[in-house]
Amino acid sequence: MKIGLDMMGGDYAPKATVLGAIAAHKTLAEGQKLVLIGDSQVIRDLLEENNYSADGFEFVHTTEVIGMGEHPTKAVVQKPDSSISVGFQMLKDGKLDAFTSAGNTGAMLVGAMFSVKTIPGVQRPAMTTIVPKLKGGLGILLDVGANADCKPEVLVQFGVLGSLLAQSVYQIDNPRVALMNIGEEEEKGNLLCQATYPLMKESTQFNFVGNVEGRDLFSDMADVYVCDGFTGNVILKMAESFYVITIKKGLKDEFFDRFNYEQYGGSPILGVNAPVVVGHGISSPEAIKNMVLLCRDMVETNLVDQFKKAFQP
């Protein structure tokens, strides 16, 4: 197994990515290799500064970096030797089994769709985030920003993608899939939710349990919460603020500690033909490590193959 890590992506790269790569390398098993993509000399110097051997890694040298504020499509096209572009080319060519970056999110989405492409039958890939539950365990929320506007059929597909992720990577048996709405009744919601509900109810590809409201997100009412990317991103950003607020207020609570993005690493892009994980721009070494480990879990569970099987005509 070879996992590609963009060493130049993120607000604190390459120092944070090097430290994260070291932490991940200590956890990976024999036969699981990290491929470090970026300025090789800078990376080697940082490894040496931290008294860590470069022998356990593979290096792919690149000369360009896609900045966090650059236009995604233009950057991917105009910077073919950027760490993100090279990583996706290697993924497309089968030289990597997975690829992850804390760099430009838009460029990661564009790169995934241009290189490894969407799985046949999947209308739109989705990004996910982890939702901690009050009584322990976790849930999955999708989409959280890849698709601001969605059609009902796309939300149904998100239910399939989220259910398979929950079952395979997080070992949740027969995961319960819910539609995020403004009321529990079947007829509630905007036009999108009203049209989506009967389609999800009729689906035999996942265990649909109906509508849930925002107040139910951290309960045990469901395991997978489906919504459009606009709604999901608003929820995600608000949830991320909970952890920051507790730190600023000097509060210590195990539940709110689980809102720390570092624990989960990044957001997988579900529905493309290879495992791809996008990290937070402010990713710390701990987050980088967990991005790599999520890639490993996606490869080991053959998640992409399960998606392909689910969307066969």
Side-chain angles (χ1 to χ4, degrees):
M1 180 194 304
K2 289 189 177 183
I3 300 169
L5 174 60
D6 169 18
M7 302 303 292
M8 315 310 290
D11 294 347
Y12 306 121
K15 185 175 181 180
T17 46
V18 168
L19 294 175
I22 291 171
H25 183 259
K26 292 176 180 178
T27 304
L28 293 174
E30 187 176 350
Q32 297 172 345
K33 197 87 169 181
L34 254 183
V35 181
L36 309 185
I37 305 168
D39 189 323
S40 295
Q41 190 56 56
V42 171
I43 298 166
R44 289 180 182 275
D45 289 345
L46 284 168
L47 286 169
E48 188 174 342
E49 282 180 23
N50 287 277
N51 300 311
Y52 205 81
S53 173
D55 295 343
F57 304 99
E58 287 186 21
F59 296 84
V60 175
H61 182 68
T62 61
T63 59
E64 296 176 308
V65 178
I66 294 178
M68 300 298 276
E70 291 192 60
H71 187 280
T73 305
K74 289 181 180 178
V76 169
V77 173
Q78 295 173 2
K79 292 186 172 181
D81 199 45
S82 66
S83 46
I84 285 179
S85 297
V86 170
F88 276 117
Q89 187 61 47
M90 293 180 68
L91 191 63
K92 178 183 177 182
D93 293 341
K95 296 177 181 178
L96 296 175
D97 297 295
F99 178 55
T100 184
S101 170
N104 186 306
T105 299
M108 287 294 288
L109 281 165
V110 169
M113 295 182 72
F114 278 8
S115 60
V116 293
K117 303 188 185 306
T118 306
I119 292 170
V122 175
Q123 295 185 40
R124 297 299 301 256
M127 292 181 64
T128 76
T129 193
I130 295 301
V131 178
K133 294 184 177 182
L134 271 168
K135 294 183 178 180
L138 56 84
I140 294 167
L141 175 70
L142 75 164
D143 179 38
V144 293
N147 309 277
D149 296 295
C150 293
K151 295 180 179 179
E153 296 81 4
V154 172
L155 292 189
V156 175
Q157 291 195 346
F158 290 171
V160 178
L161 295 170
S163 180
L164 288 171
L165 174 67
Q167 189 171 337
S168 300
V169 174
Y170 297 106
Q171 287 85 54
I172 300 173
D173 185 45
N174 193 27
R176 297 158 296 169
V177 178
L179 179 63
M180 183 59 64
N181 208 330
I182 59 170
E184 295 180 7
E185 297 83 1
E186 184 171 343
E187 68 278 3
K188 283 290 183 74
N190 57 14
L191 293 175
L192 174 61
C193 290
Q194 290 176 23
T196 301
Y197 189 102
L199 298 180
M200 297 186 84
K201 187 177 180 180
E202 293 169 4
S203 177
T204 59
Q205 291 186 283
F206 51 80
N207 176 21
F208 183 54
V209 294
N211 289 326
V212 292
E213 300 178 74
R215 64 185 177 187
D216 304 318
L217 187 61
F218 309 116
S219 72
D220 196 40
M221 291 183 66
D223 302 299
V224 177
Y225 303 89
V226 174
C227 58
D228 61 83
F230 183 92
T231 303
N233 194 263
V234 171
I235 294 173
L236 169 63
K237 296 299 171 58
M238 184 178 68
E240 285 181 345
S241 74
F242 293 168
Y243 177 69
V244 176
I245 291 169
T246 59
I247 297 298
K248 289 183 176 180
K249 290 291 186 179
L251 303 174
K252 188 67 178 175
D253 184 274
E254 182 275 334
F255 173 67
F256 287 110
D257 286 345
R258 289 194 282 134
F259 280 86
N260 185 354
Y261 73 95
E262 294 179 343
Q263 293 189 28
Y264 311 111
S267 299
I269 301 177
L270 305 183
V272 294
N273 281 295
V276 176
V277 174
V278 183
H280 204 298
I282 58 170
S283 287
S284 64
E286 179 70 12
I288 298 292
K289 179 193 80 171
N290 287 323
M291 284 161 50
V292 171
L293 298 183
L294 178 55
C295 282
R296 176 202 62 189
D297 294 344
M298 292 172 71
V299 175
E300 285 187 333
T301 56
N302 296 311
L303 183 62
V304 172
D305 288 338
Q306 294 186 55
F307 290 155
K308 289 178 180 177
K309 185 176 180 181
F311 287 94
Q312 281 180 347

